[in-house]
Amino acid sequence: MLRLPSFTYLAPATLADALRWKAEAGPAGTYVAGGTDLYPNMKRRQQEPRVVISLMGIPELKAVGRTAGQADGSVTLGSSLTLTELTARPADRLIAAVVHAAASVSTPLLRNMGTLGGNLCLDTRCNYYDQSYEWRKAIDFCMKKDGAICWVAPSSPRCWAVSSSDIAPVMVAIGAEYRLVGPQGERVVPAGRFYHNDGINYLTKQPDEILAEVRLPAPDGWDAVYHKLRRRGAFDFPVLGVAAWVKCGKRDGGRGKGQSDTVIQDARIVLGGVASYPQEVPEAAAALRGSPLTDETIAAAAEAAFRPSKPMDNTDFDLSWRKQMTRVYVRRALEELRTRTARR
Ligand SMILES: Cc1cc2nc3c(=O)[nH]c(=O)nc-3n(C[C@H](O)[C@H](O)[C@H](O)COP(=O)(O)OP(=O)(O)OC[C@H]3O[C@@H](n4cnc5c(N)ncnc54)[C@H](O)[C@@H]3O)c2cc1C
Ligand code: SF4
């Protein structure tokens, strides 16, 4: 049985106390929310904080509300909402893709503990890293923790561990914003700028900063879906996630003979599970803009997403098959959006 090492556990009731105690602990301190990622990592000695500061007793981080100064319909979600609390919210179109992604995380028990913020800050994953201390020691560790080499790409100067959050690609696709609170004050960053394509430094936030809330944009004519590939439907991390966001509008200059008058004004396609960050594919969006969602434009977007999708051989399934599935999952996501658009 893997055991947790001993550590000091602090439970602040305010953000100010959490920040102060983290500053006092320095690099030996870390935040925890539900602990469903951090505690298994501590048992495997992938992370070894001596001071663990819980965010779960801070009421502000549990709030749901309207975003101050934003258009009607925009919603703010506190980072300590559990995934179960998130999925219990009315699944209106505004956050249906977010709710769907949250519902696809792991199992009900882990969703009762795991939070939105923890999911968006989830450690990157790799078959050579998500192992016990003894297993990792037997291969002389790896660059991400305690070692010098990357076993996936031995000549590479960087770590290729995989972004495996289900909700992060959706947040990037819908253009959500994150409010970060740190010792220097607070700032708001677009979800797409919160992630780095680096398996070790995979977040752009400073270690002391707390992800306090997530701001979802107002509906404003857009729709989004999330499709996930995994081995077992009951509970597994994504080995591929596709978040697709489209905004429809009327064709400029009216419709010609045989043409649909509804076209895609804007789009974002974001892939999870294939890089160290949620990977936006602008080429796929470009294939959709200005056109209706026909079989041809969907196929062109799926092909455009397939090309830059470069999974590494460090998670489940054969990597060339996972790459092939990018095309299939992007197509399915866009077909679902087409069906939903037609029903409206
Ligand atoms: C068996 C199993 C299956 C899983 N399957 C999936 C899956 O299918 N999909 C998926 O996406 N995840 C999966 N997970 C991972 C995890 O359960 C979820 O991602 C969960 O939402 C993490 O939230 P948490 O609150 O438990 O995170 P924690 O473990 O509390 O924190 C995770 C990391 O985020 C940091 N952190 C947490 N909250 C904040 C904050 N507000 N501000 C700053 N830093 C913060 C912590 O310091 C830590 O580094 C699985 C885990 C297990 C054990
Ligand atoms: S990608 Fe390489 S450095 Fe990163 S965790 Fe895996 S083996 Fe280690």
Side-chain angles (χ1 to χ4, degrees):
M1 186 209 270
L2 297 179
R3 291 185 184 281
L4 274 173
S6 52
F7 58 91
T8 301
Y9 179 82
L10 301 174
T14 63
L15 274 173
D17 279 349
L19 291 170
R20 186 160 51 83
W21 293 347
K22 174 72 179 76
E24 284 169 12
T30 198
Y31 298 119
V32 70
T36 62
D37 185 48
L38 181 72
Y39 292 141
N41 285 4
M42 287 173 66
K43 289 181 180 179
R44 295 186 290 248
R45 308 302 191 260
Q46 291 158 279
Q47 280 157 265
E48 300 182 282
R50 292 195 300 282
V51 180
V52 173
I53 301 157
S54 171
L55 301 173
M56 297 305 277
I58 303 173
E60 182 184 338
L61 301 184
K62 281 272 187 189
V64 179
R66 298 267 171 238
T67 310
Q70 296 294 305
D72 282 351
S74 64
V75 167
T76 298
L77 301 171
S79 61
S80 289
L81 288 167
T82 66
L83 301 182
T84 299
E85 287 166 339
L86 201 57
T87 53
R89 298 201 64 75
D92 54 7
R93 271 205 327 98
L94 178 69
I95 53 170
V98 175
V99 169
H100 175 66
S104 78
V105 172
S106 188
T107 64
L109 288 179
L110 284 155
R111 290 196 296 273
N112 287 344
M113 292 299 296
T115 65
L116 174 62
N119 189 274
L120 299 177
C121 297
L122 189 67
D123 196 6
T124 51
R125 296 181 59 78
C126 171
N127 286 344
Y128 295 88
Y129 171 70
D130 292 299
Q131 303 289 351
S132 67
Y133 179 83
E134 288 72 23
W135 193 103
R136 291 186 296 114
K137 188 178 177 197
I139 60 162
D140 200 19
F141 303 102
C142 80
M143 193 189 287
K144 186 159 160 74
K145 180 72 169 65
D146 298 326
I149 194 170
C150 171
W151 293 107
V152 176
S155 57
S156 168
R158 59 159 283 197
C159 164
W160 297 85
V162 182
S163 169
S164 304
S165 158
D166 277 305
I167 310 178
V170 179
M171 292 302 182
V172 176
I174 67 176
E177 294 178 326
Y178 298 170
R179 183 167 73 91
L180 306 177
V181 180
Q184 316 299 329
E186 60 177 73
R187 61 194 178 109
V188 176
V189 295
R193 292 227 303 271
F194 188 70
Y195 301 100
H196 254 158
N197 192 15
D198 182 292
I200 296 172
N201 297 309
Y202 56 93
L203 299 180
T204 58
K205 85 172 186 65
Q206 297 302 311
D208 282 3
E209 284 182 310
I210 295 170
L211 168 55
E213 66 184 25
V214 176
R215 297 174 175 180
L216 305 179
D220 195 23
W222 56 263
D223 199 0
V225 293
Y226 178 67
H227 283 231
K228 170 176 180 173
L229 172 66
R230 55 179 158 179
R231 186 174 287 271
R232 296 165 295 185
F235 86 109
D236 260 327
F237 283 93
V239 290
L240 169 69
V242 172
W245 171 94
V246 293
K247 183 168 182 183
C248 295
K250 297 291 172 209
R251 185 188 289 276
D252 282 345
R255 114 172 105 167
K257 197 171 169 213
Q259 282 185 328
S260 163
D261 66 346
T262 302
V263 294
I264 303 299
Q265 284 181 337
D266 203 359
R268 274 189 291 271
I269 306 292
V270 181
L271 307 178
V274 297
S276 300
Y277 71 150
Q279 182 180 353
E280 187 175 347
V281 189
E283 303 90 327
L288 297 171
R289 264 186 222 108
S291 303
L293 275 177
T294 61
D295 287 349
E296 290 72 27
T297 49
I298 289 175
E303 190 60 32
F306 163 79
R307 272 183 242 115
S309 169
K310 294 198 170 69
M312 301 293 280
D313 197 9
N314 57 354
T315 61
D316 199 5
F317 291 127
D318 174 77
L319 82 156
S320 62
W321 183 76
R322 281 165 56 211
K323 179 172 169 64
Q324 298 283 340
M325 293 308 284
T326 309
R327 198 188 270 129
V328 176
Y329 273 62
V330 171
R331 176 173 57 70
R332 287 182 189 168
L334 292 171
E335 284 173 352
E336 187 191 345
L337 281 169
R338 176 169 64 183
T339 306
R340 288 158 63 120
T341 308
R343 277 203 208 114
R344 266 190 260 140

